[in-house]
């Protein structure tokens, strides 16, 4: 229940703060959930993996890490727009800058999960294993799914219109110069 409530709060925050980009984040979280479920099913049938309470805790922490990946990317895009770049350029430059940070954060999570798994016993291993597993899902979703969706949406006429509902409106981001046009 706590995990579901926390996820609901994350979804509400993403939608209110990032608007259209928040929709992409929510869709990406759903894709990550589906991928995670499929991995759990495959591992359950293949090696007898069972999700314990500590594994659920690891999954909840990993969901937070996944949401952080979207936030890093979206904030980089917004930073590029604040610097006066057009939306399409901001999306590309934002990704170049964000992917290093995303990979570094995920590497730290994977390293922590590996060390924790190696040095611990019992249910803590379930936490570490699930955390590491879902961190790999985060990488796959960020690189293969979220990036593609943002690029596709960034090519749309509506997203380039500068509407406040896009989440990247120059006016909403405080850009006032004549170079703030996003078309």
């Amino acid at each position: 229940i706590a995990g579901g409530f926390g996820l609901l709060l994350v979804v509400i925050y993403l939608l209110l703060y990032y608007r259209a980009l928040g929709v992409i984040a929510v869709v990406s979280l759903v894709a990550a959930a589906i991928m995670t479920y499929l991995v759990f099913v495959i591992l359950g049938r293949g090696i007898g993996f069972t999700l314990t309470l500590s594994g659920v805790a690891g999954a909840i922490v990993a969901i937070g890490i996944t949401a952080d990946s979207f936030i890093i990317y979206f904030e980089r895009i917004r930073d590029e727009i604040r610097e006066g770049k057009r939306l399409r350029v901001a999306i590309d430059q934002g990704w170049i800058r964000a992917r290093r940070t995303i990979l570094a954060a995920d590497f730290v999570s994977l390293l922590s999960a590996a060390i924790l798994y190696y040095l611990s016993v019992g249910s803590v291993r379930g936490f570490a294993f699930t955390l590491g597993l879902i961190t790999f899902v985060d990488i796959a979703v960020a690189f293969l799914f979220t990036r593609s969706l943002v690029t596709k949406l960034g090519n749309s006429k509506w997203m380039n219109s500068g509407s406040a509902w896009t989440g990247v409106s120059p006016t909403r981001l405080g850009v006032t110069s004549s170079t703030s046009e996003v078309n």
Side-chain angles (χ1 to χ4, degrees):
I1 292 173
F5 184 69
L7 182 59
L8 178 64
L9 289 176
V10 167
V11 166
I12 291 170
Y13 169 77
L14 289 170
L15 292 174
L16 290 176
Y17 192 73
Y18 290 108
R19 302 181 183 204
L21 291 177
V23 172
I24 291 175
V26 171
V27 170
S28 295
L29 281 172
V30 169
I34 291 168
M35 287 177 64
T36 300
Y37 177 75
L38 291 173
V39 168
F40 287 167
V41 168
I42 291 167
L43 289 177
R45 291 184 180 163
I47 63 170
F49 175 78
T50 57
L51 193 58
T52 62
L53 187 56
S54 60
V56 171
I60 291 170
V61 170
I63 289 168
I65 293 168
T66 302
D68 284 346
S69 295
F70 308 140
I71 291 169
I72 290 166
Y73 183 28
F74 298 161
E75 286 301 320
R76 294 289 187 171
I77 292 170
R78 294 167 76 145
D79 287 345
E80 297 293 327
I81 290 172
R82 284 183 190 106
E83 291 176 8
K85 295 182 180 159
R86 297 177 185 267
L87 180 60
R88 291 179 188 122
V89 174
I91 288 171
D92 291 336
Q93 291 297 311
W95 176 251
I96 290 168
R97 296 173 81 191
R99 73 175 173 213
R100 289 185 302 237
T101 307
I102 292 168
L103 285 173
D106 284 342
F107 175 75
V108 169
S109 293
L110 287 171
L111 184 62
S112 299
I115 291 170
L116 192 58
Y117 185 85
Y118 179 73
L119 296 177
S120 66
V121 295
S123 64
V124 177
R125 278 189 159 180
F127 173 87
F129 183 80
T130 306
L131 176 63
L133 185 67
I134 298 177
T135 301
F136 279 117
V137 170
D138 171 38
I139 294 168
V141 168
F143 279 76
L144 302 175
F145 192 76
T146 306
R147 164 86 165 108
S148 301
L149 279 179
V150 171
T151 300
K152 188 161 188 74
L153 187 63
N155 289 328
S156 73
K157 187 176 182 179
W158 175 75
M159 192 73 167
N160 281 280
S161 71
S163 166
W165 291 103
T166 63
V168 290
S169 164
T171 305
R172 187 168 178 254
L173 296 177
V175 178
T176 57
S177 70
S178 62
T179 61
S180 67
E181 294 180 21
V182 289
N183 339 343

